[in-house]
């Protein structure tokens, strides 16, 4: 996905599905530049409570907002 496709989900509770069909529930807190990540790719940060995930934008298959 691109930044333009995910920006509407920033600071919202979501379920992210990645390209490996993993589903991660949490709050999308921000994006991180490819210069600041271990993967070398632009990522979103997902706060899942006790752990935060960095998910590369190009590995996100789908995002669903939780109401």
């Amino acid at each position: 996905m691109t930044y333009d496709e995910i920006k509407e989900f920033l600071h919202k509770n979501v379920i992210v599905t990645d390209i490996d069909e993993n589903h991660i529930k949490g709050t999308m807190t921000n994006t991180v530049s490819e210069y600041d990540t271990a993967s070398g790719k632009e990522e979103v940060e997902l706060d899942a409570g006790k752990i935060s995930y960095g998910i590369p934008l190009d590995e996100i298959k789908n995002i669903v907002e939780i109401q």
Side-chain angles (χ1 to χ4, degrees):
M1 297 188 91
T2 65
Y3 176 78
D4 287 335
E5 293 173 312
I6 64 101
K7 68 183 178 183
E8 69 182 276
F9 298 106
L10 288 174
H11 308 291
K12 295 181 180 177
N13 292 322
V14 296
I15 297 174
V16 174
T17 304
D18 69 11
I19 57 175
D20 295 325
E21 295 297 324
N22 296 310
H23 304 284
I24 306 167
K25 179 180 175 181
T27 303
M28 190 175 295
T29 57
N30 65 355
T31 59
V32 182
S33 164
E34 66 269 14
Y35 302 110
D36 296 326
T37 62
S39 69
K41 300 176 180 179
E42 187 173 12
E43 297 181 354
V44 296
E45 281 191 354
L46 192 68
D47 181 357
K50 294 184 179 184
I51 190 166
S52 289
Y53 294 93
I55 306 169
L57 290 181
D58 65 349
E59 294 183 18
I60 297 174
K61 184 176 180 180
N62 189 35
I63 303 173
V64 176
E65 184 177 357
I66 302 169
Q67 296 294 330

